[in-house]
Amino acid sequence: MSEKPCNVEDIKKAADILINARHAIAFTGAGISTESGIPDFRGPQGLWKQYSPEIATIDYFLNHPKDFWLFYRMRMSTLFVAKPNRAHYAVAELERLGIIKAVITQNVDGLHQAAGSKNVIELHGTMKRAVCIACGRTYPMEVVIKKIDSGQIPPLCDECGGILKPDTVLFGEPVKDFDRARELALMSDAVLVIGSSLSVYPAAYIPIFVKEMGGKVIIINMEPTELDYIADVIIQCKAGDAMTLLLREVKERLGIQQ
Ligand code: NAD
């Protein structure tokens, strides 16, 4: 894993692209949240080094809801206390400045919204909520955590007794809001990818759509990604460092005092 400093020339090239874009979007993955203490899946400290990805499949959930929730409860103890980091705040500020029009994220941690991003599409849902698989009633995750911690595992719906499931997209389930995300990508002339291995589909089509429409692709990731070959700029360093420098560069060009 590269811990090297960000290349300043690459940051400048990325700022050029964003400043000149008519409609830029951000596309983020688990790597933007590791500096908030949430492990990613496939990075060197990733969850899949410890657990089998099978645990995050819909089949596993349906066949072993108790084990699933024991795993998820453990995962939530990190996810729930996490705070946005410099990269989330920089993305939110780029939106306030009108440089980025929307954030399409694969993350379920809600940290973009916590940092102030307004237009966020959560392709893989949110862990802030659970949903009854029988009647569709939703519950704030705080309520579900109380059920689990008082011994109801798996947690059940108060209404119909059905099993509750995190409102996240498990492997084997369709992603959410993909049509809206695709439309946004197709109207964009730049995409800023932050912290994604770009290996999970259909989410990873988002930068491909932008590229196919003639747009520019900037990738910020500590390791090479599966789609480096379509990138116009690759910034291989920590997301927090890269986004701090990129925001500074963009503000300088906009003549904003820092
Ligand atoms: P991934 O684990 O496949 O890839 C993350 C990438 O980020 C890796 O290539 C890693 O090298 C890089 N990275 C890690 N820390 C970084 C940092 N500080 N700066 C820059 N790069 C860094 O994650 P993905 O591409 O998002 O895969 C998609 C799946 O991961 C989705 O299903 C998503 O729902 C799920 N996921 C979400 C969370 C979350 O909500 N925070 C956490 C784990 C997994």
Side-chain angles (χ1 to χ4, degrees):
M1 160 103 66
S2 151
E3 284 276 356
K4 59 187 182 199
C6 310
N7 179 312
V8 178
E9 286 312 308
D10 292 337
I11 299 280
K12 288 187 176 177
K13 279 188 216 156
D16 278 342
I17 290 175
L18 291 179
I19 289 282
N20 291 317
R22 172 188 43 76
H23 191 280
I25 53 173
F27 176 74
T28 66
I32 196 173
S33 295
T34 56
E35 290 167 64
S36 294
I38 302 175
D40 59 11
F41 277 158
R42 294 171 191 78
Q45 319 294 329
L47 277 176
W48 297 156
K49 298 276 189 293
Q50 269 178 284
Y51 298 94
S52 157
E54 193 209 347
I55 204 159
T57 62
I58 184 68
D59 283 348
Y60 188 88
F61 171 80
L62 293 172
N63 291 315
H64 311 276
K66 183 172 178 178
D67 291 340
F68 174 92
W69 271 107
L70 287 171
F71 163 76
Y72 211 79
R73 176 69 187 93
M74 177 275 300
R75 207 177 153 221
M76 276 191 301
S77 44
T78 358
L79 279 159
F80 248 76
V81 294
K83 301 266 184 299
N85 65 51
R86 294 180 298 163
H88 296 105
Y89 285 116
V91 169
E93 184 144 8
L94 286 176
E95 185 182 349
R96 269 196 299 281
L97 293 171
I99 298 286
I100 276 174
K101 307 294 188 237
V103 182
I104 302 172
T105 188
Q106 300 166 88
N107 295 347
V108 297
D109 55 32
L111 293 181
H112 283 298
Q113 294 91 330
S117 288
K118 299 284 179 239
N119 194 8
V120 182
I121 297 182
E122 295 175 305
L123 289 178
H124 293 160
T126 175
M127 44 75 68
K128 301 279 174 188
R129 242 183 358 245
V131 58
C132 171
I133 60 169
C135 73
R137 185 176 159 183
T138 58
Y139 293 80
M141 196 54 90
E142 286 83 355
V143 173
V144 178
I145 288 177
K146 280 196 188 126
K147 284 174 181 281
I148 295 170
D149 292 350
S150 65
Q152 193 185 79
I153 317 173
L156 302 175
C157 179
D158 296 333
E159 209 76 37
C160 73
I163 294 177
L164 302 184
K165 176 188 152 308
D167 203 6
T168 54
V169 173
L170 300 178
F171 290 119
E173 290 190 293
V175 296
K176 295 175 189 270
D177 270 350
F178 190 69
D179 287 349
R180 197 155 66 94
R182 181 176 46 207
E183 263 173 46
L184 267 173
L186 291 174
M187 68 167 72
S188 296
D189 52 359
V191 58
L192 174 61
V193 178
I194 311 166
S196 175
S197 60
L198 296 174
S199 59
V200 176
Y201 285 84
Y205 280 124
I206 297 302
I208 294 177
F209 290 146
V210 176
K211 189 71 181 182
E212 280 180 354
M213 296 306 285
K216 304 275 190 202
V217 177
I218 304 163
I219 296 182
I220 297 176
N221 207 65
M222 279 174 89
E223 298 179 300
T225 77
E226 304 264 320
L227 293 181
D228 281 0
Y229 68 93
I230 67 164
D232 295 278
V233 182
I234 296 172
I235 302 174
Q236 232 175 65
C237 59
K238 282 171 85 171
D241 292 342
M243 287 306 297
T244 304
L245 293 169
L246 183 56
L247 178 64
R248 196 179 297 159
E249 191 69 30
V250 166
K251 281 174 144 181
E252 206 171 294
R253 285 158 199 235
L254 292 174
I256 296 172
Q257 292 280 357
Q258 312 195 42

